[in-house]
Amino acid sequence: METEQARESEAEQGERLGWWHHSHPTFAGITGFFAGMLFVTALPGAFAGLLRLLFDYDTAEKLFPFVLLALALPIAMLVKRKTRRFAQFMFVGMVVTALVVLGVASLVLYFMVDA
C-alpha cells in the first residue's frame, strides 16, 4: 500500500524534473530543430528500407514518392497553437539540413568532376 508521503515525494520529483519540458525557453527550439534534422535524414531512409523489405525493387521505387505524405505531420503541427513553436523550429531544422546536404553534395561533385 502506498502512503501519502510516498505519493507526495513522487509528485514532487515529477515537478522538479518536468519543469523544463514546459517552461524552459529553449526546449521547443532544440527538440524541434533536431526532430527536423531526423525527419529529413532518417525518415526517407527508413521508409525506403521498409518498402524494400515489403515489395520488390520496382514497386518500392514507384511507391517511394509517398514519403512526401509525411510532410502532413509538421504542417498539421503548425495549425495547432500548442505545437506551433515546435513545428516552426522543426521546419528550420529540415531546411538547414537539406541545404547542408545539398551544399556538401554539390561541392563533392564539383571536386570529383574537376579532378
Side-chain angles (χ1 to χ4, degrees), residues 28-70:
I30 289 173
T31 55
F33 182 80
F34 286 112
M37 286 177 60
L38 281 173
F39 199 82
V40 168
T41 56
L43 183 73
F47 187 69
L50 183 66
L51 285 176
R52 187 63 187 106
L53 283 174
L54 297 175
F55 303 105
D56 63 302
Y57 187 78
D58 291 331
T59 308
E61 189 177 344
K62 289 177 187 172
L63 292 176
F64 183 73
F66 285 110
V67 74
L68 293 176
L69 291 175

Side-chain angles (χ1 to χ4, degrees), residues 10-104:
E10 286 177 7
E12 186 177 301
Q13 183 180 9
E15 288 177 11
R16 277 187 284 153
L17 297 176
W19 68 269
W20 58 281
H21 288 287
H22 303 291
S23 64
H24 199 276
T26 60
F27 181 77
I30 289 173
T31 55
F33 182 80
F34 286 112
M37 286 177 60
L38 281 173
F39 199 82
V40 168
T41 56
L43 183 73
F47 187 69
L50 183 66
L51 285 176
R52 187 63 187 106
L53 283 174
L54 297 175
F55 303 105
D56 63 302
Y57 187 78
D58 291 331
T59 308
E61 189 177 344
K62 289 177 187 172
L63 292 176
F64 183 73
F66 285 110
V67 74
L68 293 176
L69 291 175
L71 287 174
L73 174 70
I75 291 170
M77 287 173 44
L78 279 172
V79 173
K80 190 159 171 96
R81 185 178 140 329
K82 193 170 188 175
T83 58
R84 190 172 297 145
R85 186 162 187 252
F86 178 84
Q88 288 170 342
F89 281 102
M90 188 172 176
F91 272 113
V92 170
M94 290 166 64
V95 169
V96 169
T97 303
L99 288 175
V100 167
V101 168
L102 292 174
V104 170

